[in-house]
Amino acid sequence: MIKIIGITGSLRSGSYNTALLRMAAGLMPNEAKLEIATLKGIPLYDEDVEVNEGIPQTVIALQEQIAAADGLLLATPEYNNSIPGVLKNAIDWLSRPPSSIARTFGDRPVALMGASPGGFGTVLSQNAWLPVLRALGMRPWFGGRLLISRAHHVFNESGEMVDEAAREQLRSFLAGFAEFIQASSSRTGD
């Protein structure tokens, strides 16, 4: 069974990206399982805190979840044409200490998806993530992008995906990412 950790880059309870991740959990192919992690409780990165108090338990727990997974799925909002601060902050904490980067992120398959009320989905945010993922030594899946635009028409007020074409696009995206993870595992002998 392929285990994927999903993280949403929004803390808002009514987030389209959180709704997208929840929908993804229900549409995973049979050979894969999506476990949704949370960023709640991760403080703003402060090296003084790291030096004086150590890595926060919330960060250590998330590092362990990611390290035990076969892949990482980021549901990224787009704020001001770029990366959401809350998700970037979490990644910055997760890369501490630097000696933990290889275990947490190194050569781990990662996919990006996102939903936005705007007309371009989260294309700029997804592009902005690429140098970060490269710096961490991750293996991004480029076989498909999931860019949900005009999300207020795709999801209802309860956060349920009501657009059947978007649902099929998500299902196909998830199947492709699972295949990428399987192919990656067979190449590395995992």
Side-chain angles (χ1 to χ4, degrees):
M1 178 68 70
I2 297 168
K3 181 179 176 183
I4 300 170
I5 297 296
I7 302 174
T8 179
S10 176
L11 299 176
R12 186 173 69 86
S13 61
S15 162
Y16 292 126
N17 287 282
T18 301
L20 182 60
L21 204 55
R22 280 195 306 265
M23 178 57 66
L27 293 176
M28 294 300 294
N30 291 335
E31 70 277 3
K33 177 184 177 201
L34 177 65
E35 181 180 314
I36 299 174
T38 183
L39 300 180
K40 291 199 185 276
I42 295 179
L44 289 174
Y45 178 73
D46 181 340
E47 191 171 356
D48 289 338
V49 170
E50 179 184 1
V51 168
N52 296 323
E53 300 171 29
I55 307 294
Q57 267 315 118
T58 52
V59 173
I60 292 170
L62 188 51
Q63 282 174 326
E64 293 302 316
Q65 280 184 287
I66 295 169
D70 300 303
L72 181 62
L73 177 60
L74 301 178
T76 182
E78 182 172 298
Y79 299 152
N80 299 314
N81 295 334
S82 194
I83 296 171
V86 68
L87 186 51
K88 178 63 167 73
N89 176 69
I91 297 295
D92 291 343
W93 263 119
L94 291 166
S95 68
R96 304 304 298 170
S99 60
S100 72
I101 293 173
R103 181 175 177 271
T104 306
F105 297 112
D107 209 34
R108 190 164 315 285
V110 61
L112 296 163
M113 65 179 187
S116 170
F120 297 106
T122 58
V123 68
L124 296 175
S125 178
Q126 290 189 32
N127 287 342
W129 274 110
L130 297 179
V132 175
L133 302 177
R134 187 178 307 111
L136 296 171
M138 298 191 79
R139 195 170 344 127
W141 178 55
F142 294 115
R145 274 193 176 187
L146 189 68
L147 305 164
I148 302 291
S149 58
R150 305 203 191 319
H152 53 290
H153 296 297
V154 174
F155 297 95
N156 65 18
E157 304 78 36
S158 302
E160 299 162 352
M161 187 177 272
V162 294
D163 184 299
E164 193 57 41
R167 184 188 314 265
E168 285 310 309
Q169 185 182 11
L170 176 58
R171 188 184 321 271
S172 175
F173 175 84
L174 296 168
F177 184 45
E179 288 173 18
F180 175 74
I181 293 171
Q182 277 183 321
S184 297
S185 293
S186 65
R187 276 198 319 266
T188 59
D190 291 346

